[in-house]
Every structure is written in C-alpha cells, then in structure tokens.
Amino acid sequence: MKKEDLYFKKVNETYNFLKKKIPFFPDIIITLGTGLFSLGEKIKKVEVFPYEEIPHFPIPTVETHKGQLIFGYIEDKKIAILQGRVHYYEGYSTKEITFPLRVLTLFKPEIYIVSNAAGGLNLNFRSGDIMVIKDHINLIPDNPLRGISNEEWGPRFPDMSNAYDKELISLFKKTAKELREEIREGIYVVVPGPSLETPAETKFLRMIGADAVGMSTVPEVIVAVHAGLKVLGISVISNVNDPDNFKPIVFSEVVEESKKAEKRLERLIKEFIKKLKI
Ligand code: HPA
C-alpha cells in the first residue's frame, strides 16, 4: 500500500473507532500545549480517552505533555480537547503531528483554538504576556499536506490569507478588554527545534518579521485551515530573547512561566467561548 493510502486508512480507522464511542460531534476543538493544561481540567468532562488507547494516535515523548482526548462542555458548547501534543523535534513528521486533529476535523467542527508557549522576539513583550496570533511563518522543512491530495479533506492549494480568523481575533480582543486583560498581537514563527535559537538566529527571526518563536502549532493550523475551520491561536510568552543581551533559555523555566499565565488564559478562553455564536 502507498504511504498516503495507508495514512487515509489510518485516519478513517481512528475516525470510526471514535465515532462509536464519543458522546457528541464537537463544534470546537482545542489543543492545549506546554504548561497550559488546566483548562482541560476545568471542562465539564463527559468522556476521556488517553492517547495510548486510541488507535494510531502519536504518543508524546515529552514529560510535560500527558496526552489525552477529552470530550465535554464549556458553557454548553460541545468541545473536544487535545490535551498534549507531539512535536516535529520528537521525530514525528508533520502528518503524524496533525493526525489527531485531522481525525477530529472529520466530525465537521467549526472552530479550532490552539495554544502554545513561545519565546518573545518583540522586545516590547514580557514573560507572562498573552499574544493572539495574527499570522505565522513556517520554518519547519515539511508540510502536513505534502503528498497525494484527498479532495474530501480539503483543496490541493489551500488559501492562507485569513488563516487566523479576523472575526475570532477581534472577539478575543473584545473579551480581553472586558476582562481588563492586556493582550498582545503578533506573528508566530515555528522552528524545527529542539535546540533553542542562537543570538544570530534570533536576530534573523526578528528581521523576517516574527514577534514570537516556538516549535509547534503551525502544522496544526495548516490542517485546520485546509479542513475549513476558523482558527484562533494564542501564545503565552514564556521568555523574551534579546539578541543584543542574550540570556540562556532554560526549558524548565519556560514551562514555569507559561504556567503563571494559565489562570488568566483560562478565564479569557472560557469567556471567549461563551460569546461564540455556535
Ligand atoms: N524558542 C523556541 N521555542 C520556545 C521558546 C524559545 O525561546 N520559548 C518557548 N518555546
């Protein structure tokens, strides 16, 4: 069997496995990344599937990512949460990374909310800031849509001009204003990792227009846009990298900093979901 055919087969197998077991078809899919798990604990849970019990789901190798798929309600909205993700730096291809999301898109949800921890490149940023993503730059030398196209899933050449939905961004900003939370807006660049950036690389990433750098999210957003979902992306700025005054980036501190913003982000996302008209 060709590699692509095998991928289609696996996606369908997992879709059929879940279809029989899930309590409802979700309207919103959320991916919770590094240090941002608490929202997954606050949801009114109906069903929980550890990733290892779902056929073909990739298993995270990073300790900070538990890995479970949660179905439940936030403000009476039907939600599926991917609590924990795998990354390109773990050795997975971007097709493998996006496998769980691809399966969930077959249930025809409307909205995808994705969060991550990122390094600040914009020197106005501070650690603990919450940044809504307005656009991205893909520096991973791979694309989850590479290979034979399946028109049932989406177009060969998906338009990315409104990848991060403008209406969702403005609703998120409105929510933040009402809750008196200051938020940032910026461009997220993804690097392959796992080594962190050198000062010279940091300078380069600033020059190409990025405000924050991380190692996730972009493959998932490409798949979500391909499947016709509206996307809201949020970065928690865990550290700020100044190329002219470069401090070592300690990954355990990255996780700690992102945890500090957890409560604020949780409140924002809950209120945002409440306002969604779906
Ligand atoms: N660089 C890349 N990825 C990151 C960083 C960083 O500084 N901080 C959190 N994720």
Side-chain angles (χ1 to χ4, degrees), residues 117-120 188 191 195-197 213-215 236 238-239 241 249 251 254:
Y188 175 88
V191 293
S195 54
L196 289 144
E197 301 73 46
V213 54
M215 302 174 191
V236 170
S238 49
N239 50 291
N241 307 337
I249 307 166
F251 208 75
V254 165

Side-chain angles (χ1 to χ4, degrees), residues 39 52 80 83 89 91-92 99 104 115 141-142 146-147 180 183 193 196 206 223 226 232-233 238 243 246 252-253:
L39 186 68
E52 62 267 22
Q83 196 185 35
Y89 64 73
Y92 291 104
F99 182 92
L104 294 175
S115 69
D142 189 16
R146 183 167 174 266
R180 295 175 197 283
I183 57 160
L196 289 144
R206 280 164 52 89
V223 165
H226 184 241
L232 178 80
S238 49
F246 209 79
S252 55
E253 287 170 17

Side-chain angles (χ1 to χ4, degrees), residues 168-198:
L168 292 187
I169 292 175
S170 77
L171 185 65
F172 190 76
K173 290 195 326 203
K174 184 169 168 241
T175 308
K177 206 166 182 183
E178 283 174 16
L179 296 183
R180 295 175 197 283
E181 274 292 348
E182 204 195 327
I183 57 160
R184 311 290 195 163
E185 190 174 349
I187 295 172
Y188 175 88
V189 61
V190 66
V191 293
S195 54
L196 289 144
E197 301 73 46
T198 63

Side-chain angles (χ1 to χ4, degrees), residues 111 165-172 230-232 272 276:
I111 291 175
D165 187 80
K166 290 194 178 62
E167 280 174 25
L168 292 187
I169 292 175
S170 77
L171 185 65
F172 190 76
K230 291 183 185 162
V231 175
L232 178 80
F272 169 81
L276 286 173

